[in-house]
Amino acid sequence: MNKLKKTIEEKGVFINEDVLKVDSFLNHQIDVDLVEEMGQQFYEHFKDAGITKVVTIESSGIAPAYACARRLGTNMIFIKKSMPSTMIDPLYTSVYSFTKQKEYPICIEKGMLAPGDRVLFIDDFLANGEAFKGAEQLIGQTGAQIAGIGICIEKRFQKGHDYIVKAGYDLYSLASIASTDHKKIKWA
């Protein structure tokens, strides 16, 4: 998606060689026009996949997941990063955050997904794939099936891409970074 790539080049800020900050348009402040286009791109790719639910992890994936779910005419669920006292029958696991350099719990109410649901997982970034692996565990515990994975920005040079492809999932990334050298992006 050329508009997303251009926005990353113009507004993205490298914290270091591995961490690209996109909070001015994706995960702190939302460029709503850009996110709507991203939702349309995900919709176009997955519209015939029989998706019954769109799932993301709070909070950075919520906007693009919502934009896609609206177009698919289905509900969106976000996996929580802490267990609220209002959950009656939670499923939970823990994931390691590459950005935060720590492990944290994630959870979902058991009844949100059911066997027979076909899930589209959408997230803002794919790096080492730890967030996806946690979501995969939770979705698997419900009996639902992952029918596709939509990623806004992927760092193809890290482990997450290979994990998802080797597992046989339909992976669709809007902006795929092949490498970063001296804080310069080479697109895949």
Side-chain angles (χ1 to χ4, degrees), residues 48-122:
D48 297 323
I51 303 299
T52 61
K53 299 278 175 70
V54 176
V55 175
T56 191
I57 296 178
E58 72 176 342
S59 66
S60 300
I62 291 174
Y66 170 83
C68 180
R70 189 174 67 74
R71 286 165 173 80
L72 288 170
T74 191
N75 288 335
M76 183 211 72
I77 299 165
F78 62 89
I79 295 170
K80 296 182 177 260
K81 287 186 178 176
S82 63
M83 194 175 323
S85 61
T86 56
M87 281 196 172
I88 296 168
D89 194 9
L91 299 171
Y92 57 91
T93 190
S94 61
V95 298
Y96 181 78
S97 169
F98 177 79
T99 307
K100 295 176 182 151
Q101 297 290 303
K102 69 176 190 175
E103 196 163 292
Y104 62 91
I106 60 171
C107 62
I108 187 172
E109 186 75 56
K110 190 174 184 179
M112 293 290 155
L113 293 171
D117 273 326
R118 292 181 52 79
V119 173
L120 171 57
F121 178 77
I122 292 183

Side-chain angles (χ1 to χ4, degrees), residues 163-187:
Y163 174 83
I164 290 170
V165 170
K166 285 178 183 172
Y169 293 117
D170 180 6
L171 172 62
Y172 181 61
S173 300
L174 300 180
S176 185
I177 299 171
S179 65
T180 56
D181 186 28
H182 303 292
K183 301 181 181 180
K184 297 286 184 195
I185 294 171
K186 180 179 177 188
W187 298 107

